[in-house]
Structure formats: C-alpha cells, structure tokens
Amino acid sequence: MKKFIIKRLVQLIPIIIGITLLSFLLVNVSNTDAIDMLEANRGTAISEEQKNELREELGLDQPVIVRYVVWLKGVITGNMGNSYISGKPVFATFISKLPATIYLCVVSILLTLIISLPLGIIAAVNKNRCIDYIIRLLSFLGNSMPNFFAAIMLIYIFALKLNLLPVMGMNAGIKSVILPAVTLAIAMSSRYIRQIRTAVINELQKDYVQGAIARGVGRLKIITGSVLKSSLLTIITLLALSIGSLLGGTAIVESIFMWDGVGKMAIDAITMRDYPVIQAYVIWMAIIYVVINLITDIVYHYLNPRIRLGDCYED
C-alpha cells in the first residue's frame, strides 16, 4: 500500500506541471492582458508608455514560456507572486477565500446525504411502485435543472416572494448559506438518489439478503446492518467526486449568490486577466482532485477485501 501511495504522489508532479502549462498557454492566447483590463476598469486612458512600463514591471513583456518558468520557480520556493490587480500576495488571497468554500462544501454535502440516502433507499425498497416512480421523476427533474436556473427560482421564491432568506452575500449568518447550499444539493441529491437506489437494489437481490429474510431478520435491520454497508463504495465514489468539485469552488453558484469563495475568486481573476491568481486556482484544482482520488483509493483498500487480497498477490 505504501508503494501505491508513493507512486501516486510521484505521478502528481507531471500532472500538475502539464495542467498548469496548458492553462497558462490558453490564458495567454487573448490579445488583451491585465494592463488592458486595468485600464478598462479604471475608466481612464493609460498612455502606451505607461502601459509598457507596467508590463515591464509585472514581467508581461517577456515571452509566455519565460513567464511560466519564472512563475513555476516561485511556486516551488513557496512564492506564488502578487495579484496583478490588487497587488496582494496570491497565496494570502487564496487562503482568505478558502474557508467560505469549505463551509459551503460541508453544508452542501450534509444536505445532499440527508436528502439522498433515505430517498434512495425508499425508492429501492419500493421498486416499481408509485413512490419509486415519484422519487425517480423528482431526481430526473433535479438532475436536468441547471444550477443557475435552480438558484434563480430559489431566490425568487424564498428571498423575493416570501422574504425568508437573504438574496446574496455572507452577512446574515447561517441564513446566508442556505440558498447556495440547497442549489448545489438539488443537483447532487438527484444523482445520488439514482446511484444509491441502483446499489441498494443490487444488494437486495443477493443471496445473503434472501437468506436473512428467510431466517426472519427484519428488512430494516438488513438494510441498515448489511445492505447500506455494502453500498458504501458507491456512496464514497459519489462523495469523492462531489467534494473535489465543491472544494474547487462552484463558480456559477458562488457568483450568483456573491459567495466570497474560491470559485468567485477564479471568475473575477479570469475576467481581469489576473494570471497569478488563475494559476493558483488551477494548481489547487489539480491537487485537490488527485488527493481526493488517492484518499478514495485508500478507503477502497480498507473497505473492499478483494482489493486487499489483490494487493497481497501482487506483492
């Protein structure tokens, strides 16, 4: 297992280098740069001489590959540079936005599990009955609904019409997180319900379940004691994908609700051509997905005896 972890960590290096290089090249394809965007946002003209001085100061007059190498050396030594727009250290800016994204991620995942686990199990136990069709229809509608549309509908109903929740921002305490978290939970719950339903149905058809029923073991005990445990691999896979996506920042939802997290930071940086911030975000996305996948594989190793047995044969 140690060899596997070390191998995956070594594989992380070329993956991150490749992703950052590709993103850096794509970002620099545009004819405008940070200085042009700064001029547009100020609303006042900047002379070409001043622009050239600013580009030289920021290193934007250098070839793209040179700028990339300089930036990569800085990252390796622990310096991600300063934002072209705010002038603040990129790492400090990123760290200041991360808690908001983590908070939104945790609340969204909890809501998703609270909704999807019972509904997925109910749909599986009542396969091809009325309640199953209703749950499957709702999950289909939720999965088909784009996040921005769900966000607009929730804002219209709960903020504008009922005046129960704030429209945007993070200044209303726990109320502020409800609408963005529910928006994310709608789509995630819809996917979870279908996967959990399928996993539970497959387990209910296995011989050990039929044997337990024949021995008079209660259905609720079978589901909570055996079936749900056997379905953990499916649930963990879903959680890994969701956590990776959420920690990367859900840009659309964060932007709609003005949630000051990593996703909104990335959108603002892309709009302003703030290359150091964009690259910090790309590195974070690459690392978080690789780390989450690694953790998932380790959990698989301990939950699935067949994987452990395969590792023994390989050793």
Side-chain angles (χ1 to χ4, degrees):
M1 190 62 186
K2 290 181 180 179
K3 292 181 180 179
F4 170 76
I5 295 174
I6 293 172
K7 181 180 178 182
R8 290 293 298 272
L9 290 174
V10 170
Q11 290 174 348
L12 174 63
I13 298 173
I15 290 173
I16 291 179
I17 292 176
I19 291 173
T20 54
L21 177 59
L22 181 61
S23 65
F24 202 94
L25 294 174
L26 290 174
V27 167
N28 283 272
V29 167
S30 174
N31 292 326
T32 60
D33 59 14
I35 305 303
D36 295 321
M37 297 304 298
L38 185 62
E39 179 185 27
N41 284 316
R42 282 182 177 178
T44 57
I46 301 176
S47 67
E48 286 300 320
E49 184 178 350
Q50 289 176 317
K51 285 184 179 181
N52 292 332
E53 289 177 359
L54 288 171
R55 289 190 178 100
E56 185 177 353
E57 182 181 343
L58 295 175
L60 295 176
D61 59 331
Q62 299 293 324
V64 174
I65 193 66
V66 174
R67 298 207 305 268
Y68 173 76
V69 172
V70 171
W71 172 83
L72 189 60
K73 287 180 179 178
V75 171
I76 293 173
T77 57
N79 178 20
M80 290 187 173
N82 296 330
S83 167
Y84 289 167
I85 306 303
S86 67
K88 297 179 181 178
V90 172
F91 184 75
T93 302
F94 176 80
I95 292 298
S96 69
K97 307 292 184 183
L98 190 56
T101 294
I102 293 175
Y103 179 38
L104 181 59
C105 171
V106 171
V107 176
S108 302
I109 289 293
L110 290 176
L111 278 175
T112 299
L113 292 176
I114 290 171
I115 295 169
S116 60
L117 272 176
L119 290 181
I121 293 171
I122 290 170
V125 172
N126 297 279
K127 180 183 176 183
N128 294 331
R129 295 179 184 174
C130 182
I131 186 66
D132 179 30
Y133 290 132
I134 293 173
I135 292 173
R136 286 162 64 186
L137 175 62
L138 292 175
S139 68
F140 175 77
L141 292 174
N143 198 37
S144 304
M145 190 183 303
N147 277 340
F148 72 88
F149 181 76
I152 292 171
M153 292 299 296
L154 290 172
I155 290 172
Y156 179 76
I157 295 171
F158 293 101
L160 300 181
K161 285 297 183 181
L162 299 179
N163 198 26
L164 295 175
L165 298 169
V167 176
M168 58 185 64
M170 301 171 56
N171 299 321
I174 195 170
K175 285 186 176 181
S176 300
V177 77
I178 293 176
L179 287 183
V182 171
T183 301
L184 295 171
I186 287 174
M188 290 193 299
S189 297
S190 301
R191 292 192 297 269
Y192 277 41
I193 287 170
R194 297 168 65 185
Q195 297 293 334
I196 291 171
R197 175 184 178 275
T198 302
V200 172
I201 287 175
N202 290 337
E203 288 298 319
L204 289 174
Q205 293 173 347
K206 291 185 177 179
D207 293 338
Y208 78 90
V209 174
Q210 302 302 320
I213 293 173
R215 292 194 301 271
V217 180
R219 184 174 287 258
L220 180 61
K221 186 176 181 180
I222 294 173
I223 291 173
T224 56
S226 301
V227 173
L228 196 56
K229 183 179 179 180
S230 300
S231 304
L232 276 179
L233 291 179
T234 298
I235 297 172
I236 289 172
T237 302
L238 293 170
L239 283 174
L241 293 173
S242 298
I243 291 173
S245 175
L246 291 172
L247 286 178
T250 49
I252 294 176
V253 173
E254 288 187 6
S255 296
I256 290 174
F257 291 100
M258 296 301 291
W259 191 263
D260 197 18
V262 173
K264 183 177 179 299
M265 177 199 72
I267 292 294
D268 293 341
I270 292 169
T271 304
M272 300 292 293
R273 303 289 192 274
D274 198 347
Y275 301 137
V277 176
I278 295 173
Q279 290 306 113
Y281 177 74
V282 170
I283 277 192
W284 167 251
M285 287 292 292
I287 290 176
I288 198 63
Y289 270 104
V290 172
V291 170
I292 290 293
N293 286 333
L294 176 60
I295 293 173
T296 304
D297 289 340
I298 294 171
V299 173
Y300 274 14
H301 178 84
Y302 287 104
L303 287 180
N304 194 334
R306 289 173 294 184
I307 296 178
R308 292 199 299 270
L309 186 60
D311 289 343
C312 291
Y313 281 127
E314 288 180 4
D315 292 340

